Amino acid sequence: MARIAGVDLPDNKRIEYSLTAVYGVGLHTSQEVLAKCEIDPNTRTKDLSDADLAKIRDVLEDYTIEGDLRREVAMNIKRLQDIGSYRGRRHRAGLPTRGQRTRTNARTSKGPKRGSGIKKKK
């Protein structure tokens, strides 16, 4: 099983799609990395040699991925909250931050519906 940046890559997928399991690597970045390494995107992950994996690891060192990227995103959100910006207050309240309506919808950020005060019979 191939491991890159602390993430186990799926064995039976094409390497082009397997690399997207790493946080911060999407399809476009994956294709760029494989082009730089001169590896065929159609190759299955299990068929890669250790040398190929080493090449991929070396190229991915130039990108901000996994823990560093998560930390950067968290620090950006914390900065917004600390300066008291509108977006920071929305993050703190668990509401949508990009102008979506909240009267209806917004269930993903607000969480599950709360009951209307009706209790179950025992």
Side-chain angles (χ1 to χ4, degrees), residues 1-2 5 20 27 33 42 44 49 66 70 73 79 87-88 94-95 97 100 103-105 122:
M1 180 171 286
T20 62
L27 188 57
V33 168
N42 295 321
R44 299 284 168 176
S49 67
E66 276 302 321
R70 290 180 200 270
V73 169
R79 177 182 51 83
R87 275 175 54 203
L95 294 168
T97 57
Q100 296 93 333
R103 183 173 180 173
T104 59
N105 304 329
K122 290 186 177 180

Side-chain angles (χ1 to χ4, degrees), residues 4 37-39 47-59:
I4 293 179
C37 296
E38 298 175 353
I39 297 173
D47 298 335
L48 288 176
S49 67
D50 291 336
D52 291 339
L53 289 172
K55 282 185 202 173
I56 292 171
R57 282 190 200 96
D58 290 341
V59 172

Side-chain angles (χ1 to χ4, degrees), residues 4-91:
I4 293 179
V7 177
D8 291 332
L9 300 181
D11 279 337
N12 290 322
K13 287 187 178 181
R14 292 168 44 192
I15 187 63
E16 177 178 39
Y17 293 105
S18 291
L19 284 176
T20 62
V22 178
Y23 184 78
V25 178
L27 188 57
H28 183 76
T29 308
S30 171
Q31 291 167 346
E32 279 181 2
V33 168
L34 294 174
K36 287 179 185 176
C37 296
E38 298 175 353
I39 297 173
D40 181 28
N42 295 321
T43 309
R44 299 284 168 176
T45 306
K46 63 184 175 186
D47 298 335
L48 288 176
S49 67
D50 291 336
D52 291 339
L53 289 172
K55 282 185 202 173
I56 292 171
R57 282 190 200 96
D58 290 341
V59 172
L60 281 176
E61 285 179 3
D62 300 337
Y63 293 89
T64 307
I65 55 172
E66 276 302 321
D68 295 335
L69 182 59
R70 290 180 200 270
R71 195 173 310 107
E72 187 178 319
V73 169
M75 291 305 295
N76 289 340
I77 292 171
K78 186 173 182 337
R79 177 182 51 83
L80 290 171
Q81 291 175 348
D82 290 345
I83 64 176
S85 70
Y86 180 77
R87 275 175 54 203
R89 285 183 291 167
R90 301 294 283 185
H91 273 291

